[in-house]
Amino acid sequence: MADGTINRTTAATPRRFFAALALKNLLRYKRRTVVTASAIAIGLGVFIWVDSMLQSLAVESNLNLMHFETGSARITGESYWDERDDYPLDITVENTDEVLAQLDAAGIAGAPRIDFSGELLVHYDPFPEDGSVRMSFAAIDPERDPEVFRLFEHIVEGSRPEPHGDDILLSTWLAERLGAEVGYPVTVLTRTRDGFHQILDLEVAGFYETPNPQLDRSTAFMPLELAGEYLEMEGAVTGITLSLDETLPGTADLAPVRAAVDLQGLDLLGFDTLGAEVAGVVETQRKVSTAVLLLVALIALVGITNTMLMAVMERRREIGMMRAMGFRDREIRGVFAYEAAGIALLGAAGGLALGSLLVWHLETYGIDVRAVLQDADIGYRTLGIIRGVWRPAVMTAAAVAAVTVAALASRIPLRRMLAETIPDCLRGQKADSPEGRFAEVMSRSGTCASGLSAIALRNVFRHTRRTVLSSIAVAVAAMTLILLHGLFGGVAADLRENTFNYAEGEVRIRHESFDRYEYMNPIHYVVEDYRRVVERVQELDEVKAVSPRVTIPAGAIRAERQIGARGLGVDLELEREYQDLERIVAAGRMPNPHTTEALLGVRLAERLGVEVGDEVTFLTKTRTRRSNAFTVDVVGLARFPAAEIDRSTFIMPIESAGRFLRMDDAAVEVLLKSESGDSRALASAVNAMLAEHGPAGAHAASWKDVGFAYGLTSFVDVYLRLVSTIFLALAATVIINTTMMTVRERTTEIGTLAALGMRGREIVRLFLTEAFYIGLAGTILGVLLGTALTIVTGWTGLDFSARMDAADLNVSSIIYPVITLRTALAVAAFTVLVSSLASLFPASGAARLTPVEALRE
């Protein structure tokens, strides 16, 4: 009768009945529910937070790119975009007025511009120092430009350039470094359309400050009419930028433009082409973050599966009773699916709340990383304040996915249980009860540590699936930490090596005034008698290698174009001790000392269209601030590790570079590497030597105190610690849940142990030992897998060309992850410690049970 009643009830309202039963079970096992839901909440909250940051960076970057650099679309001469880095003035839109008239007739806003490169020259009085800055210039139509761009909305001082004036608009970022004020005179040195040198004398009209830092660091603006006359453009422009009806970049329809404008001999470029570099940055960043988030989801999934497995094992008799009363297999699966979905629903609600709180904080306050990235181009067009955006659809989809996956995960542990006979299920446990086995072990070993270890080890192997799942969670966490340490370690090592070899060095000796006016290339502030300085620093025990250098700000002259470059005049003998030069040679050979030979970066050679055996002429400024040109023989091509270095750098003998720049016996800087890695101690020792022996004005500084490389590596380290904490927290929830359910499952067993004389602290030690074994197994597996993958990728490298090519960072396009034994051991020890301590709370609860209470269960 009872069977029939239940069958009729379940047949009439199965869903309501299953839901009520599942809810009862959730409330019956409150701590288990809370712990598992917490794991889901943490994973989902982190996903929402990271997704919000990435989407904010992408949207802000694209909007700033569209509003200040590219517009919605652009009309250019054929193939102009392929050579845009060289600012060609011979690939143009010739019929500018005709195209503008066609656009006006169609109601499409268009702004003509001439983009070109050159040098901005400033002179002492009124400026604090003579100097020159190689940069890009945009000649704009002050009347049409506001219809497409938002530049004029961000003028913070002074006024916009007048259409017929000789004004120039500078960024506040550049003005601060030059010491410029409104009304100061400046000179622009460039080349005309036909390749002749031209000088424009201008006056600073005002300063702008946009949310696009790359624009602020690189571009100045002047009237189109003035530039067109001096550059001999004869009415031609390098491009006409369009503003189309779109709320987000890349959503505009270009068909009306094609219908309105005769594009014969012209290219129409959409935002997908104009913003391709930033899109590559975003996509690469998204792939890395997605991989991390998938691993987070995997740990949460393991936690759900483990919880359901233990729930099934714990409720073996209950399942047998349900089957005996007529429940079909699919109905039992439904009960557990409702339970798993209920846990996931609670976790999803918590995750949405946590994620919303994090997104709100991001949106309201942001994360300010300007102190680290204020002078670095990381590819994004953002100010360095990371904010969040609300993505309700993504948040909802993630929550639904968590609930769905949890419901499906509940089916896995039920398969074996439903395959058993009903009597086996009702029996609950095998005849050889654990109490008897434990009594046997206790009698042999007493309550000593070895006895506890034997009991713990037997329990670990007795519940194999539970152990495997818990170990998998720990393994995923350990593997991920190893992979992240390897990746970030590779990035940090690469950045450090490139910084030491091609930028600040580990310790840098310069004239103190050079550092003050560095952005103006003040090569008249030098380190005198550099050979004697080299001899003296080599006497210091801490000095590992020395590299005196003459840096050459130059423009490479090729045909009618002038391309910005940066030369390094080096002492070739000392440089071979300082770094492995032969490693970077891709073709040809290294230059010989005392010659006019040079080694060019591969990308610089491609921009110049030269090969080994050709000649290149460079235009530069001497130490006395006079112009000079010199020609070098290209004897080799170098594949410099970082894209920005490869695009602009050439190496030549220091003797020849000094002669061309009229340096006499001076160098611009002397770079040092230390034996111990304590760069600040070495800088202090060098400064003591310089104070005693000179030369006057020379000062040594550690790479930790100059440039942005050290700040960037510190930021990466903080990020790594945050991710590590998240992963270990998720793994810890699985261990806590496992131990907590183990305590409940083995309540009678605990009572037996207590009755046999095991004290509370020994019971705690027993569960800690079990958690230690589980954590140790998972850690060993995770560390081995992570180390193996790191070693493999360390051999093959990870190609981040799309990410690094768009960023002005001294980071190589191919990263080789590195892992040290010390790091692997540290990750292993920390993971085992956290996973072991995670069982402390539920184990303490087990120890507080009295034998009578435990045996009553």
Side-chain angles (χ1 to χ4, degrees), residues 60 62-72 111 113 140 144-156 160 169 207-212 215-216 221 241 243-244 246-249:
E60 185 179 1
N62 285 330
L63 287 174
N64 288 337
L65 191 67
M66 182 176 72
H67 292 155
F68 299 99
E69 291 186 67
T70 66
S72 303
R113 283 190 171 188
I140 61 176
R144 284 184 173 270
D145 215 66
E147 298 177 9
V148 177
F149 296 104
R150 299 185 179 181
L151 174 68
F152 291 167
E153 299 175 16
H154 293 267
I155 295 177
V156 295
R160 67 178 67 180
L169 188 66
F207 305 121
Y208 71 89
E209 185 175 343
T210 73
N212 185 329
L215 181 79
D216 289 11
F221 298 87
T241 307
S243 177
L244 304 175
E246 60 180 335
T247 54
L248 290 176

Side-chain angles (χ1 to χ4, degrees), residues 106-130:
I108 300 173
R113 283 190 171 188
I114 300 174
D115 295 313
F116 64 100
S117 64
E119 283 188 86
L120 182 70
L121 309 178
V122 298
H123 302 285
Y124 177 75
D125 192 16
F127 286 89
E129 187 56 67
D130 288 340

Side-chain angles (χ1 to χ4, degrees), residues 470-471 474 730-740 771 774-775 834-836 838-839 842:
S470 299
S471 298
V474 177
L730 286 172
T733 60
V734 177
I735 296 293
I736 291 172
N737 209 15
T738 298
T739 309
M740 188 167 59
I774 293 173
V834 171
S835 58
S836 299
S839 66

Side-chain angles (χ1 to χ4, degrees), residues 158-178:
S159 62
R160 67 178 67 180
E162 295 294 331
H164 308 293
D166 56 357
D167 304 324
I168 189 168
L169 188 66
L170 305 178
S171 69
T172 56
W173 186 91
L174 178 62
E176 290 173 359
R177 283 152 180 79
L178 297 180

Side-chain angles (χ1 to χ4, degrees), residues 200-454:
L200 291 78
D201 290 319
L202 307 171
E203 183 177 292
V204 178
F207 305 121
Y208 71 89
E209 185 175 343
T210 73
N212 185 329
Q214 184 158 318
L215 181 79
D216 289 11
R217 287 194 291 265
S218 64
T219 308
F221 298 87
M222 66 181 66
L224 180 67
E225 182 178 316
L226 175 72
E229 177 184 351
Y230 276 84
L231 299 178
E232 302 174 356
M233 297 296 290
E234 300 177 353
V237 296
T238 57
I240 298 176
T241 307
L242 311 178
S243 177
L244 304 175
D245 185 17
E246 60 180 335
T247 54
L248 290 176
T251 60
D253 182 9
L254 300 182
V257 181
R258 294 191 178 94
V261 179
D262 179 8
L263 295 172
Q264 185 175 359
L266 302 173
D267 286 338
L268 175 61
L269 308 175
F271 189 82
D272 56 341
T273 299
L274 301 173
E277 287 187 350
V278 172
V281 171
V282 172
E283 182 60 24
T284 303
Q285 184 71 39
R286 191 181 300 278
K287 287 179 179 178
V288 174
S289 298
T290 299
V292 174
L293 291 173
L294 286 175
L295 292 170
V296 171
L298 178 60
I299 294 179
L301 175 61
V302 169
I304 296 171
T305 306
N306 199 24
T307 298
M308 298 312 300
L309 171 64
M310 298 192 67
V312 168
M313 298 301 295
E314 177 186 348
R315 291 155 59 189
R316 188 181 191 132
R317 291 192 182 94
E318 181 180 322
I319 294 172
M321 183 66 70
M322 293 171 69
R323 295 174 65 191
M325 297 176 70
F327 278 81
R328 288 169 290 183
D329 288 353
R330 63 181 179 84
E331 293 171 334
I332 296 174
R333 292 191 189 97
V335 172
F336 281 91
Y338 274 111
E339 285 188 37
I343 294 173
L345 191 61
L346 291 174
L352 289 174
L354 175 62
S356 298
L357 179 63
L358 294 172
V359 173
W360 171 81
H361 184 273
L362 273 178
E363 185 184 47
T364 306
Y365 302 103
I367 301 176
D368 192 346
V369 294
R370 287 176 296 182
V372 176
L373 303 176
Q374 61 179 350
D375 292 329
D377 171 18
I378 60 172
Y380 289 109
R381 268 47 172 193
T382 61
L383 283 174
I385 300 178
I386 302 176
R387 297 195 180 276
V389 295
W390 292 97
R391 302 235 289 169
V394 172
M395 296 167 67
T396 303
V400 170
V403 175
T404 303
V405 170
L408 294 176
S410 68
R411 300 176 66 88
I412 299 174
L414 276 171
R415 292 179 59 186
R416 181 176 176 183
M417 186 66 65
L418 294 177
E420 294 183 0
T421 64
I422 293 177
D424 285 340
C425 288
L426 291 173
R427 189 176 298 118
Q429 293 178 349
K430 302 298 181 182
D432 54 332
S433 66
E435 291 84 349
R437 294 197 303 271
F438 279 114
E440 180 183 357
V441 173
M442 292 288 291
S443 64
R444 292 179 182 178
S445 58
T447 58
C448 63
S450 60
L452 288 175
S453 297

